[in-house]
Amino acid sequence: MNIFLHELRANGKSTFIWSISLIMVVVLFMSFYPSFAKDAEAFTKIMEGYPETVRNLLGVNLGSFFTILGFYCFPLTFITLCGAIQAMNLGTSIISKEVREKTADFLLTKPVTRTKVVTAKLLAAFTSLVLTNLVYLSAASIIAFQVKNENFSFKVFIMLSLTMFFVQLIFLAIGFMLSVMIPKLKSVLPVSLGTVFAFYFLGMFSDTTGEDAKRYLSPFKYYDTAYIVKHAEYEAAFLFAGVVIIIIAVISSYVVYTKKDIHSV
């Protein structure tokens, strides 16, 4: 419990900054909604000038773009990207910071198993993401109700917002695995940004081909916002794929870490 609370406090400043940043992004974008909705015809002509692939990359579906839910999908693309970077940073720093700061040997001399240490750290990172999403969802809900010009399904709004959390969990698990697999991770940021953007560009590639099978290459494409708005549900196959990735990454990380050599200072 002490390790969990220590990690939670250590992540507190970062969690606060990410939460405020995500709120600022959603407030900035959603404040434009009344103007877009008012001049829907003019903006439709502008958006029709862009190729469908580009519109898909931006999360723009002309069929629903000028509804509050359809418009929300637009900033959610960028918000999810930011959330993925936060999760990846947390995941890659779980173990690597102990080696980088030369405190791993001290920590592991305490009367706790490696499994308990890693579990406490992973739970702290998970809790940080939960807090971020609770704060973000509260702020996003308030701004959505403030700018809406017609009633909308709050259930679908919640489902759309939760896609960021689901993507974050996947990147948290991937980052956790990398923190264990890479012997000496000197800097978290390059690995985090490189991994997140690599998957983001893979998602862009899947959009250009239009093949559903290639969507499995990128967690960013597991939750199709247009599908969620239309059907008020997630695609089961991609939801299952995300769960499988998380389970495999976490289990393999535990197995490797409990057996790996930890060099002393």
Side-chain angles (χ1 to χ4, degrees), residues 39-100:
D39 298 320
E41 186 176 345
F43 282 114
T44 298
K45 292 180 180 179
I46 294 174
M47 296 309 298
E48 285 176 344
Y50 291 92
E52 185 177 357
T53 301
V54 174
R55 295 201 299 266
N56 290 337
L57 291 176
L58 296 175
V60 175
N61 183 345
L62 289 180
S64 61
F65 184 65
F66 297 102
T67 65
I68 187 71
L69 294 176
F71 186 84
Y72 179 57
C73 295
F74 173 51
L76 190 60
T77 301
F78 304 103
I79 292 168
T80 300
L81 177 61
C82 294
I85 295 173
Q86 177 198 12
M88 193 71 192
N89 282 338
L90 283 172
T92 51
S93 65
I94 286 177
I95 300 300
S96 65
K97 70 178 181 180
E98 301 297 343
V99 176
R100 189 169 58 255

Side-chain angles (χ1 to χ4, degrees), residues 24-230:
M24 290 176 64
V25 173
V26 73
V27 169
L28 174 64
F29 276 92
M30 294 304 288
S31 63
F32 294 140
Y33 174 69
S35 297
F36 273 77
K38 184 178 180 181
D39 298 320
E41 186 176 345
F43 282 114
T44 298
K45 292 180 180 179
I46 294 174
M47 296 309 298
E48 285 176 344
Y50 291 92
E52 185 177 357
T53 301
V54 174
R55 295 201 299 266
N56 290 337
L57 291 176
L58 296 175
V60 175
N61 183 345
L62 289 180
S64 61
F65 184 65
F66 297 102
T67 65
I68 187 71
L69 294 176
F71 186 84
Y72 179 57
C73 295
F74 173 51
L76 190 60
T77 301
F78 304 103
I79 292 168
T80 300
L81 177 61
C82 294
I85 295 173
Q86 177 198 12
M88 193 71 192
N89 282 338
L90 283 172
T92 51
S93 65
I94 286 177
I95 300 300
S96 65
K97 70 178 181 180
E98 301 297 343
V99 176
R100 189 169 58 255
E101 297 172 7
K102 300 179 180 181
T103 57
D105 54 336
F106 170 77
L107 181 62
L108 296 178
T109 58
K110 299 300 180 182
V112 289
T113 64
R114 291 189 182 192
T115 300
K116 288 183 178 179
V117 170
V118 174
T119 300
K121 286 174 168 289
L122 194 57
L123 284 176
F126 173 78
T127 303
S128 295
L129 293 183
V130 170
L131 292 174
T132 297
N133 279 270
L134 286 175
V135 173
Y136 166 77
L137 183 56
S138 299
S141 300
I142 292 173
I143 188 65
F145 279 108
Q146 289 294 319
V147 302
K148 72 180 182 72
N149 57 3
E150 60 183 5
N151 292 329
F152 65 96
S153 172
F154 189 58
K155 171 190 173 183
V156 174
F157 183 85
I158 296 293
M159 293 179 68
L160 289 170
S161 299
L162 285 176
T163 60
M164 178 179 72
F165 180 59
F166 297 151
V167 171
Q168 283 183 313
L169 292 181
I170 295 174
F171 279 102
L172 175 65
I174 293 174
F176 177 38
M177 183 174 65
L178 290 179
S179 71
V180 172
M181 300 294 185
I182 300 176
K184 291 183 179 181
L185 191 59
K186 294 182 179 181
S187 180
V188 168
L189 194 59
V191 175
S192 298
L193 292 178
T195 304
V196 170
F197 280 106
F199 279 112
Y200 186 74
F201 288 126
L202 280 174
M204 293 173 62
F205 171 70
S206 70
D207 272 334
T208 60
T209 62
E211 298 177 23
D212 277 351
K214 291 183 179 179
R215 287 175 57 195
Y216 287 101
L217 295 173
S218 173
F220 288 106
K221 295 301 173 183
Y222 285 7
Y223 309 98
D224 186 355
T225 53
Y227 182 91
I228 296 171
V229 171
K230 183 177 180 180

